[in-house]
Structures are given as C-alpha cells and as structure tokens.
Amino acid sequence: MGAKAVTGMAVNSGELVVRRSRGKSKDKNWRRAKDAPTAVIRLELDLTDRRLRHRVLAMFTAEFHLRRALQKMARSRVEAYCRAHRLRERVGLNKTQARFGLSRKAFEQASSEFVDRSRWLRRHLTKALAMHLADEVWETVDRHLFSDASGRRHGRPRTGGWFDSTRIPGRARSHTKDRVWESFRLVGTLNGHRAAFPARHPARALQQPQCMPAPPEPSVGGWWEHAGQLAVVFTGCGSDLILPVRLPESPDAQARLEHFLSKPQLWHKIDLARVQDRHAPGGWRVYAHLMVLGGGWISPEHAAARAAAPRDRVGGVDGNVSNLSVFSMPADPDTPAGLAGDQFRLTAQQRTAANQAAVNARRRQRALDRSRRNTNAGQYQPSKRQQSRADRRAAAGLPPKIIDTPGGARVADKAGRPKRAYWRDQLSGGYRTTRAQHAAASRSGSQAKHYRAADTARQIVAAHGPNLVVEHTNIRAWARLWGRGIELFSPGMLIAALKAECGTAGGRLLRAGTRQTALSQQCRCGLRQKKPLSQRTHSCPLCGLVGDRDLVSAAMATCVRLTDPDNPVTASIDEHVQAALAARLNVPGQREALTRSTAPTPAGSRSHAAVTAAARCRKATSGLCRAKEPTTRGPAVEPNAALWRQGHVAEPTASNPITGGWAGL
C-alpha cells in the first residue's frame, strides 16, 4: 500500500532502532459513494459475565474522558481563534486556523498524544479509536467555523456530560484489502450461530442460554477462520475482548436477520452503544450497531403496500396542532370523480393515557428532587415557610428544628451560581433507580412515537399515493405559540416520516410557501379571505362550499405547482387544476371528502392487564398535565402505545381505511 518513511531513531538495548511509519498511500483510497444506501442493525451484547462487563464499562469510561478532553480543547481553541481578529486580518484565515490547530489532522494528532501520555487510556482504547473520536469532535468545530450549503453555521462546541457519552465510534473496515478491521469486528456467521444454539421449542428459531458463552478463537487462522457463534471482537489492548451476540429468537425476526447478517462482505463498521437499563446487569445494556452497505429490511407486507400505492394521484397534507388532514384526487384532470380525504385526531383514551403519563412523570421528577434534597440538605436553603417557622421558634425561645428536606433554592453566590456543582452531590440508590426508570420510560415513549409516525406515513402513502404537497411552515413558531401541546402532538415528526416514505415509494413530498399560496384562505372558486383560528369550518359566501377548514386547505394543496421543486417560494396555485377540483366537487357524493367525520369510535372497557401494560408504555413527559391546552385547535396530547398495539383503538373501516390506524399524533 504505502511507502515507509523514517521519522526518528531510538536506542533499545544498545542497538540503534529505526522507527518507521506508513507514508502516503500510493493507491487511491476507497470512499463510499455519497448517495449509496446504508442501514444499521442493532445487535445486543451479552454482558452477564462480571469481568467482561467491567472491562466494557471501563472502555466507556475511558472514551468519556478522552472525548471530554478533546471537547475542552476544541472549545478553548475556537475561543482563542475568535478573539484573534487582528491576527486573522494580518495573516489570513487559513494561517490563523493552522496556528491554533483547527484542522482534522491537528485534532487527530492531539488525540494520539493524549493516549500516549496517559497509560491507563492505552489499556482500554487503541489509537484507531482515539483518532476516530477526534474526527467526531472535529466535525462539531467544522460546523461552527464553516457554513453549510444553506449558509447556516452551528454554535460553538460544547463539553458533554457522562450521560451524553453513550457511543464508542468504531473504524470502518477496509474494502480494498481482505481481513482488515481496525477496531471492532463481527466474527462468525448466522448459520453457525443457529447451529451453536439450536431451537428446542417449535415457537423459536433458536434457543440461547441465559448466560452466553464466549466462542473460542480458532487455533488455525485466528478469528478470520471463525464460522460459528456470532461475536464482536476487539483487539489491540492486551487480551482480546470477546463480546457474545444475542440474537432475537422469534421466527418473525429471522427474515430481517438474514437480510443484514447473511452477507459479510457488506458489513462496514461497528459502533458500541450503551443504554441505561436498571434490569440489566450493571445498570447498562450494551449494543453493537452494525452498519451495512445496502438498504434496510422491508417486510413483505410493507413492500406490497408500497408497490400498490397509487402513482396516478396527487395529494395535499395540512398539519396543525390537533389533527392531520390528507386529501387526494386523480392526477388526470379529465377524471370526473375520485376524491378522497382523511383526517387523523386523538381519541379520548389517548388523551387520558397521556395525562396519566404526564402525572407519573411529574411524580418521578418530584421524587428525584426530594431524594437529592434529603441526601444533600446542606446545599439547599429552607423555603419561606420553613424559614418563617424557624424565626417564630427563635423568637419564642424554642430550640431550632432540624429540616430534613429544605424546600428553598440552591445555595449560591452573589452571581447566582451554585457553590457546589450538581455532579458533586451524593446520590442515593433510590435516586439512581428512579432516574433509570424515568429514562427508560422516556426512551420507550420516544421509540413508540417514531414507530407510529412511520407506520402512519406508510398507510397515508398506500391510500393517497407518494406525490404529496404540504405547507412550508415553521414548527418552532408553533412550539412558541402552543407550548407543550405541539411537543406531544409532534406534527413535525410525522411530516418527516411522510417525506421519507414518499421518497422510498418513488414519489416526493413537496413544500409550498405559505405566503405564495395561503392554502387556509383559498377556496375552489378562487375567493381568498382570511379566517381566524377559531373558525374551524370553511364556508364560502361566493360558491357556497362548506367543509372542514383543514380538509379544504389540504384539497387546495393538490392544486399547487412548483417551478423549482427544491424552492418553496416558487409555489403557486394552478388555475387549471383548481378548475378541475371545482368540477369534481360538483359531482354528487364527492363533497363528502371535505365534510367526513373521521373521529374513531370510543374503545370499550379495558381490563386490569391492559391498563397495566398501557401504564408501562406511556411517554414520560416533563411537564404538568394541567397545562393549558389550545382552545382554538383542540387538545393535543401524546397517545398511548399499548392501546394502539393491543387493539383498544378503533380499527380501520371500509369507508375510512386508514383513520383507525392512526395512533401517532
């Protein structure tokens, strides 16, 4: 590959030893195509063995300290660079950045020096991992110093905490030379893993023990000749670190495993990630994120639905704080009918479950605050009520009463800074358990939320086609206006999932500028008039059209055409398509698409087991459930994942095939 270059000399045992390093590569480096598809599968690692678990957690500790040192170095260098405005004017930007070490190569060199100077870091991390970690820290500096294609720059690099450092990035394997992995590598085969743990029950594809054994290294050929049990191997820090892989045992998951693990030549890189879980040994569950050079797995049902999605229809989407409206019609203007509209909103059961989830989250937060105050009572001041009681007792000559839980503010200096940092507080075992429960509930709710949004996007595309138009709105402005309601409803998450689904199905989700189109103010006859937010029914005084405001806005989105699909400002309403829409609405029975009520029917009574399962899957929100809800757009709260999965939400009907399936908004 590359030539050897002499970089220095050293004397060892009286002999002259020449240190050599790899020079510049003569061959062209392999690079992944920019638009090449990639996918990631999460493989659980078994850390039941105490020694193995301690070594992996020590590796995460070393990664945290090295990342924190690099982040502090990056912030100090960036601040020094920003202050040196005279130097930038005198010698230029490039020379100033080189003087302050603001380059990828300088960060990699600094990371390598950190590992060399620290002996204990070298016992847990290799230089390949350290340099790759430096590349990630440099990306935060690069996004701050240089703007992207849109001219936007990110803020200054931050110094993260312990709970922010949850991933050890691995080096990608070499695709030009065989048997070259620089950090973590996956050994074994899927068939060998199944042969090592055959199923002894007809309902399982394989059966793995509770404590997974580490596979032995082959005596001939090393790990490159291992074709049995799957494991993640890390070499370079003393003895090999062998992490057994635990695969899903369900027969339904085997097709997905075949897609990712049956072709080892497509394996690209592996990252280690840890997730806090109080049920796991040591309180952390570790996963291996395997990236493959190829697309993700699609179930046959979803593939068939995407293939059957109508390509000859155009649709419009209108999303707000409380519902999502979708309207579509045939793309051919000569087709007399074929209008379809759907609207998705929350059910009463989902509102109740979200309110209860908010109550549970607030209770956990209060329990955490009480535990911290009890354990570190000297770092908090008494509340006004406690101080008044102490003053009354002192005035009456009574002895002072010990305050176990002070309810006042944190002890701080004149500038308002706490005299002792929070990370120095002593934490009880109950505090750590409650914190882990709170994190697990939040993570579970977030994952369920993303899954429901993706599933709903698939249903929308299957019914209305992949060619949709939505207004280019500012979700941040909605968040400032509606507060917690928009956070629970998350229309931005659904729009993002809908955009991805449209692209996968062969279409595209276009964005139209609001000032150029004003869809909520338009009518089929061309009349444009402003409507307050409290007016939820569209009633045109010119043509007499009456319908739901959001559905009418989604219908007008089907008439939008863009000169430049990538620029929302070029959007305008096509008069010919608008006339075709007006003609279709005059066909008997077609106006029902604008006035149809799609609210799901109330669910029946739930059993105690269903209520218990629902409580486990509720999203842990950080705010009070008594927050004021928007009165003009209706309540917007987070639904319950268990109600939807267990069938307690109304199922789709023939007249409205996808309304009952919505449980993600």
Side-chain angles (χ1 to χ4, degrees):
M1 286 289 292
K4 301 293 183 178
V6 178
T7 59
M9 294 182 295
V11 178
N12 185 13
S13 302
E15 298 180 359
L16 185 64
V17 179
V18 180
R19 291 182 180 177
R20 297 185 301 174
S21 62
R22 183 184 303 174
K24 187 177 181 180
S25 177
K26 296 181 180 179
D27 299 336
K28 186 178 180 180
N29 295 333
W30 179 89
R31 290 188 178 275
R32 178 170 55 89
K34 190 175 182 179
D35 55 348
T38 58
V40 177
I41 181 175
R42 188 179 67 175
L43 303 175
E44 183 179 357
L45 303 179
D46 187 275
L47 299 182
T48 309
D49 184 77
R50 183 177 57 85
R51 295 183 178 180
L52 185 64
R53 180 172 66 252
H54 287 180
R55 187 174 176 184
V56 173
L57 295 182
M59 181 183 297
F60 276 98
T61 303
E63 181 270 341
F64 161 69
H65 285 285
L66 180 58
R67 183 189 293 270
R68 188 176 179 86
L70 292 172
Q71 290 173 344
K72 288 184 177 181
M73 181 195 69
R75 187 169 183 85
S76 62
R77 290 185 179 183
V78 169
E79 290 179 352
Y81 171 80
C82 294
R83 294 193 186 100
H85 54 90
R86 295 181 181 178
L87 182 62
R88 295 198 302 269
E89 295 175 359
R90 187 171 66 253
V91 302
L93 298 179
N94 294 335
K95 292 184 178 180
T96 306
Q97 293 171 5
R99 180 173 297 184
F100 287 104
L102 294 175
S103 65
R104 184 185 300 273
K105 185 177 181 180
F107 272 67
E108 291 179 350
Q109 183 179 0
S111 179
S112 179
E113 292 177 356
F114 285 157
V115 176
D116 287 336
R117 292 198 302 264
S118 177
R119 296 182 179 179
W120 72 273
L121 276 179
R122 191 63 182 87
R123 293 197 298 266
H124 304 288
L125 298 177
T126 60
K127 286 193 175 182
L129 288 180
M131 296 177 68
H132 197 48
L133 186 61
D135 294 342
E136 286 199 345
V137 178
W138 162 249
E139 290 297 331
T140 61
V141 180
D142 184 74
R143 291 196 298 263
H144 171 68
L145 296 178
F146 309 102
S147 58
D148 54 10
S150 62
R152 179 186 176 187
R153 295 196 310 171
H154 293 257
R156 294 189 181 183
R158 297 187 305 106
T159 303
W162 166 252
F163 289 95
D164 299 329
S165 180
T166 59
R167 188 175 64 92
I168 302 179
R171 281 280 201 181
R173 62 174 293 187
S174 174
H175 294 276
T176 57
K177 295 195 307 182
D178 296 336
R179 299 184 174 185
V180 175
W181 288 75
E182 295 190 19
S183 55
F184 306 105
R185 54 177 171 173
L186 183 64
V187 299
T189 60
L190 180 59
N191 293 332
H193 193 91
R194 291 172 177 170
F197 307 103
R200 297 190 297 270
H201 193 274
R204 296 183 179 181
L206 66 157
Q207 193 163 354
Q208 302 162 112
Q210 185 176 2
C211 181
M212 296 283 293
E217 181 181 2
S219 57
V220 180
W223 290 111
W224 304 112
E225 301 297 334
H226 178 69
Q229 173 188 351
L230 289 172
V232 175
V233 178
F234 177 71
T235 59
C237 294
S239 60
D240 294 349
L241 179 62
I242 307 172
L243 306 177
V245 175
R246 182 180 295 274
L247 297 180
E249 299 180 354
S250 173
D252 298 336
Q254 301 308 310
R256 182 170 179 268
L257 295 178
E258 287 281 353
H259 175 80
F260 285 99
L261 303 179
S262 61
K263 299 179 180 179
Q265 65 274 12
L266 299 181
W267 297 348
H268 184 56
K269 63 173 293 189
I270 293 178
D271 298 340
L272 289 190
R274 61 187 178 100
V275 176
Q276 192 175 9
D277 187 359
R278 67 186 185 92
H279 299 289
W284 294 93
R285 196 174 297 275
V286 181
Y287 296 94
H289 292 180
L290 173 63
M291 177 185 293
V292 297
L293 300 178
W297 179 76
I298 303 175
S299 64
E301 295 80 5
H302 294 163
R306 287 177 180 175
R311 268 70 178 179
D312 56 347
R313 298 182 67 87
V314 292
V317 180
D318 181 83
N320 55 37
V321 182
S322 61
N323 62 68
L324 182 84
S325 302
V326 185
F327 186 90
S328 64
M329 64 181 182
D332 187 6
D334 299 333
T335 304
L339 303 182
D342 289 294
Q343 194 174 74
F344 310 96
R345 61 179 68 247
L346 301 179
T347 62
Q349 290 84 354
Q350 293 167 351
R351 298 189 186 100
T352 303
N355 290 338
Q356 186 61 40
V359 171
N360 296 338
R362 185 56 179 168
R363 288 174 179 173
R364 286 193 296 267
Q365 290 175 344
R366 289 179 176 176
L368 292 174
D369 184 67
R370 288 194 304 268
S371 177
R372 182 182 287 270
R373 289 175 181 271
N374 291 335
T375 312
N376 307 273
Q379 300 301 320
Y380 291 91
Q381 301 174 3
S383 63
K384 293 182 178 180
R385 182 177 180 181
Q386 293 171 345
Q387 187 63 38
S388 299
R389 184 181 61 180
D391 294 341
R392 290 196 304 267
R393 293 181 64 88
L398 299 176
K401 190 173 182 179
I402 300 177
I403 302 177
D404 296 330
T405 307
R410 185 89 172 184
V411 176
D413 55 12
K414 294 182 179 180
R417 295 186 296 266
K419 292 186 177 181
R420 190 176 74 177
Y422 283 89
W423 65 274
R424 293 184 178 274
D425 288 351
Q426 183 180 0
L427 304 179
S428 63
Y431 183 94
R432 300 178 187 275
T433 301
T434 306
R435 183 176 59 183
Q437 293 176 353
H438 190 75
S442 300
R443 185 171 58 253
S444 175
S446 178
Q447 293 175 354
K449 202 173 183 180
H450 281 85
Y451 174 79
R452 293 193 300 268
D455 186 73
T456 303
R458 286 192 291 264
Q459 297 181 38
I460 291 176
V461 170
H464 298 275
N467 302 312
L468 303 175
V469 178
V470 66
E471 282 187 318
H472 184 60
T473 56
N474 189 358
I475 304 297
R476 296 182 179 179
W478 290 11
R480 289 192 297 266
L481 180 62
W482 301 111
R484 192 173 297 107
I486 187 67
E487 178 186 358
L488 297 177
F489 189 71
S490 299
M493 182 183 297
L494 178 62
I495 296 300
L498 195 58
K499 178 182 178 180
E501 183 64 22
C502 289
T504 307
R508 187 173 181 182
L509 178 66
L510 302 178
R511 292 182 176 270
T514 55
R515 292 188 177 182
Q516 292 74 23
T517 57
L519 300 178
S520 61
Q521 304 175 12
Q522 299 283 351
C523 183
R524 62 164 184 173
C525 61
L527 178 64
R528 178 174 175 176
Q529 59 179 357
K530 293 185 178 181
K531 295 188 289 289
L533 292 177
S534 58
Q535 181 181 348
R536 307 313 304 166
T537 302
H538 174 86
S539 180
C540 181
L542 187 60
C543 64
L545 178 64
V546 178
D548 185 86
R549 168 179 175 157
D550 300 327
L551 285 173
V552 172
S553 177
M556 295 305 302
T558 60
C559 306
V560 172
R561 295 294 180 268
L562 285 85
T563 306
D564 184 6
D566 298 326
N567 190 1
V569 181
T570 62
S572 62
I573 296 181
D574 193 333
E575 297 180 356
H576 300 285
V577 182
Q578 186 178 7
L581 174 63
R584 287 164 175 163
L585 289 174
N586 292 329
V587 177
Q590 292 300 304
R591 293 195 181 185
E592 294 182 359
L594 299 178
T595 59
R596 181 188 305 172
S597 175
T598 59
T601 56
S605 59
R606 295 180 295 169
S607 62
H608 175 72
V611 175
T612 304
R616 295 176 180 173
C617 299
R618 288 165 185 156
K619 184 179 185 298
T621 55
S622 59
L624 288 170
C625 65
R626 303 184 184 90
K628 184 176 180 181
E629 297 177 346
T631 57
T632 57
R633 295 237 175 173
V637 291
E638 169 67 18
N640 186 11
L643 297 180
W644 173 60
R645 292 176 177 175
Q646 296 180 2
H648 296 289
V649 178
E651 294 292 333
T653 58
S655 60
N656 187 18
I658 63 176
T659 299
W662 170 246
L665 292 182

